[in-house]
């Protein structure tokens, strides 16, 4: 078997040594080809993004209503759609994948931006359980403005009375569930029970919803069941069927947003990690400029190479930790890369440090 040359052995030892040794990162940055450091840096800054990508790809539209608790969304959404159907209200997805609002077959052009379509008051709690709205841009307000206005209104607990400044101190409030429909999309505001805090918010579009779909009819169509006209005759089997229809619809409605979010998030975080690595490389260059620092001969591109080589281990560790603790996935690479660079700068590249050879 042919023996490795000293140069090849040095390159392999130094390259693999960068996984655990800061001194090897310095040697690799000084001695190994710059293009290898670029490849290592690109890979190292991409792999911490993988947990973020995975988390986004696993999120579907039904995730917003299919948690441990759905806060009676299944029942309330069924009631709201039955009430709208009784009023002849329908929403049709056009060939352009925009929504048309009709009532008894006639296209509606509301004279205001927030049109109440259905409202259900629970006879036991005396509170609004759900309210449905059609939103449209009107005068100087946008759909988003109307959405914020509606969901910011708090009601006195046990009533349908909006909050007033004159309410006694200690008065408790709640926010009901909301369904929103507008030309470009649809929304959901799911509130916690007897609370003014949101449990879930959803926004979707109709890009992947088949043209010609009539939303109210689609939601209320359950195999083996007639569409009820009396909300008191809605049973649990029918509620489950409508709930499943909503899950399918929300999955379609969220698909385009999910795809865009995946692409944007991938490149944004990859760009942030790349920028951080370049910044830390330049920081190494600045920290070694002192006259007493025996590393002041390092060129700027060598310092960038050192940072590139040093980034691989933080990248791998950040990926592993990102899968274990998804809520903090975006922070791990920043922390680990920052710690390794600072340690390298204060120890191996310090004016007082004698490299062990």
């Amino acid at each position: 078997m042919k023996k490795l040359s000293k140069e090849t052995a040095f390159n392999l030892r130094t390259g693999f040594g960068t996984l655990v040794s800061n001194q090897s990162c310095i040697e690799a940055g000084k001695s190994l080809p710059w293009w290898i450091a670029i490849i290592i840096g690109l890979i190292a800054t991409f792999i911490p993004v993988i947990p973020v990508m995975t988390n986004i790809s696993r999120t579907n539209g039904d995730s917003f209503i299919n948690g441990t608790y759905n806060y009676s969304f299944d029942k309330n959404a069924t009631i709201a759609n039955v009430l709208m159907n009784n009023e002849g209200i329908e929403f049709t997805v056009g060939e352009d994948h925009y929504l048309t609002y009709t009532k008894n077959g006639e296209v509606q052009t509301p004279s205001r931006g927030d049109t109440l379509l259905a409202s259900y008051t629970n006879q036991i709690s005396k509170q609004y359980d759900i309210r449905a709205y059609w939103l449209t841009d009107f005068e100087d307000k946008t759909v988003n403005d109307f959405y914020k206005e509606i969901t910011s209104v708090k009601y006195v607990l046990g009533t349908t009375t909006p909050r007033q400044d004159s309410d006694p101190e200690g008065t408790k409030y709640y926010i009901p569930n909301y369904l929103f429909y507008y030309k470009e999309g649809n929304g959901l505001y799911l509130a916690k029970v007897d609370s003014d805090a949101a449990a879930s918010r959803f926004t979707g579009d109709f890009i992947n919803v088949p043209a010609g779909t009539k939303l109210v009819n689609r939601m209320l169509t359950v195999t083996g069941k007639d569409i009820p006209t009396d909300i008191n005759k809605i049973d649990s089997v029918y509620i489950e069927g409508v709930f499943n229809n909503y899950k399918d619809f929300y999955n379609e409605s969220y698909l385009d947003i999910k795809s865009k979010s995946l692409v944007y998030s991938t490149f944004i975080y990859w760009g942030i990690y790349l920028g951080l690595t370049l910044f830390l490389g330049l920081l190494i260059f600045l920290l070694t400029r002192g006259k007493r620092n025996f590393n002041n001969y390092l060129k700027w591109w060598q310092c960038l190479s050192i940072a590139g080589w040093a980034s691989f281990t933080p990248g791998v560790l950040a990926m592993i930790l990102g899968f274990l603790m998804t809520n903090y996935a975006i922070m791990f690479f920043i922390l680990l890369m920052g710690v390794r660079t600072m340690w390298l700068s204060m120890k191996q590249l310090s004016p007082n440090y004698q490299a062990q050879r």
Side-chain angles (χ1 to χ4, degrees):
M1 184 176 178
K2 187 176 179 180
K3 188 177 180 180
L4 293 175
S5 66
K6 289 184 178 181
E7 181 182 359
T8 302
F10 171 80
N11 290 344
L12 290 174
R13 183 174 64 253
T14 302
F16 284 103
T18 59
L19 294 173
V20 293
S21 170
N22 288 340
Q23 185 61 40
S24 293
C25 292
I26 296 171
E27 293 298 329
K30 293 190 298 184
S31 307
L32 300 185
W34 59 268
W35 56 268
I36 299 180
I38 291 178
I39 294 174
I40 293 293
L42 289 172
I43 295 174
T45 52
F46 178 76
I47 54 179
V49 185
I50 294 176
V52 178
M53 296 168 58
T54 303
N55 191 41
I56 293 174
S57 65
R58 287 176 177 172
T59 303
N60 295 310
D62 63 3
S63 301
F64 295 87
I65 58 173
N66 204 27
T68 305
Y69 303 101
N70 66 43
Y71 300 96
S72 298
F73 170 83
D74 49 357
K75 177 185 176 182
N76 293 336
T78 302
I79 292 173
N81 277 271
V82 168
L83 292 175
M84 288 190 289
N85 187 64
N86 288 346
E87 295 296 322
I89 294 171
E90 187 57 272
F91 310 106
T92 306
V93 180
E95 294 295 334
D96 55 2
H97 292 279
Y98 286 148
L99 202 62
T100 300
Y101 161 39
T102 60
K103 188 170 184 179
N104 296 320
E106 296 183 4
V107 176
Q108 300 297 296
T109 54
S111 59
R112 53 184 298 160
D114 54 340
T115 303
L116 181 62
L117 305 170
S119 179
Y120 173 67
T121 303
N122 190 301
Q123 297 305 305
I124 297 175
S125 67
K126 307 302 181 182
Q127 298 175 175
Y128 290 129
D129 274 356
I130 192 166
R131 289 161 74 82
Y133 282 87
W134 171 263
L135 303 179
T136 185
D137 296 340
F138 187 73
E139 295 181 347
D140 59 343
K141 291 184 178 180
T142 65
V143 164
N144 192 50
D145 292 330
F146 287 111
Y147 170 88
K148 290 180 178 178
E149 284 185 5
I150 292 170
T151 56
S152 66
V153 176
K154 299 178 182 180
Y155 296 89
V156 177
L157 200 65
T159 73
T160 57
T161 305
R163 177 186 179 277
Q164 302 290 335
D165 293 337
S166 58
D167 290 341
E169 184 177 352
T171 300
K172 295 183 178 180
Y173 303 98
Y174 75 97
I175 295 178
N177 296 335
Y178 288 103
L179 289 174
F180 295 101
Y181 297 94
Y182 50 99
K183 181 180 178 181
E184 296 84 4
N186 65 98
L188 163 70
Y189 183 97
L190 194 60
K192 295 181 180 179
V193 178
D194 295 341
S195 170
D196 57 4
S200 180
R201 293 183 178 91
F202 172 81
T203 301
D205 57 36
F206 307 109
I207 300 300
N208 293 286
V209 179
T213 298
K214 297 182 181 298
L215 295 185
V216 175
N217 181 263
R218 174 179 172 178
M219 296 304 107
L220 294 178
T221 300
V222 176
T223 302
K225 290 284 187 176
D226 294 329
I227 297 177
T229 56
D230 186 348
I231 60 175
N232 295 312
K233 294 182 179 180
I234 298 173
D235 59 32
S236 60
V237 175
Y238 189 75
I239 289 173
E240 183 180 1
V242 173
F243 186 50
N244 289 331
N245 290 340
Y246 258 102
K247 288 191 283 187
D248 291 339
F249 167 60
Y250 279 169
N251 284 337
E252 292 175 356
S253 189
Y254 189 66
L255 189 58
D256 186 62
I257 296 173
K258 172 181 171 179
S259 300
K260 291 177 180 177
S261 178
L262 180 62
V263 173
Y264 294 157
S265 296
T266 298
F267 284 100
I268 286 173
Y269 289 120
W270 193 10
I272 290 173
Y273 297 156
L274 276 172
L276 174 68
T277 304
L278 292 173
F279 170 77
L280 292 175
L282 293 175
L283 185 61
I284 291 173
F285 176 74
L286 294 175
L287 293 174
T288 55
R289 293 308 91 192
K291 292 182 179 180
R292 295 179 55 248
N293 194 316
F294 65 90
N295 295 294
N296 58 13
Y297 65 90
L298 291 173
K299 304 294 189 294
W300 65 269
W301 57 269
Q302 290 176 314
C303 294
L304 292 178
S305 294
I306 292 172
W309 282 102
S311 65
F312 192 77
T313 298
V316 173
L317 293 175
M319 179 183 68
I320 295 171
L321 291 172
F323 279 119
L324 295 176
M325 293 176 278
T326 55
N327 290 338
Y328 305 99
I330 62 176
M331 296 302 301
F332 288 125
F333 180 79
I334 297 173
L335 294 173
L336 293 170
M337 185 61 186
V339 169
R340 187 175 196 188
T341 302
M342 289 299 100
W343 184 260
L344 182 151
S345 300
M346 291 187 296
K347 299 293 289 184
Q348 281 79 8
L349 295 178
S350 169
N352 301 318
Y353 181 80
Q354 285 293 322
Q356 300 298 320
R357 301 183 185 278

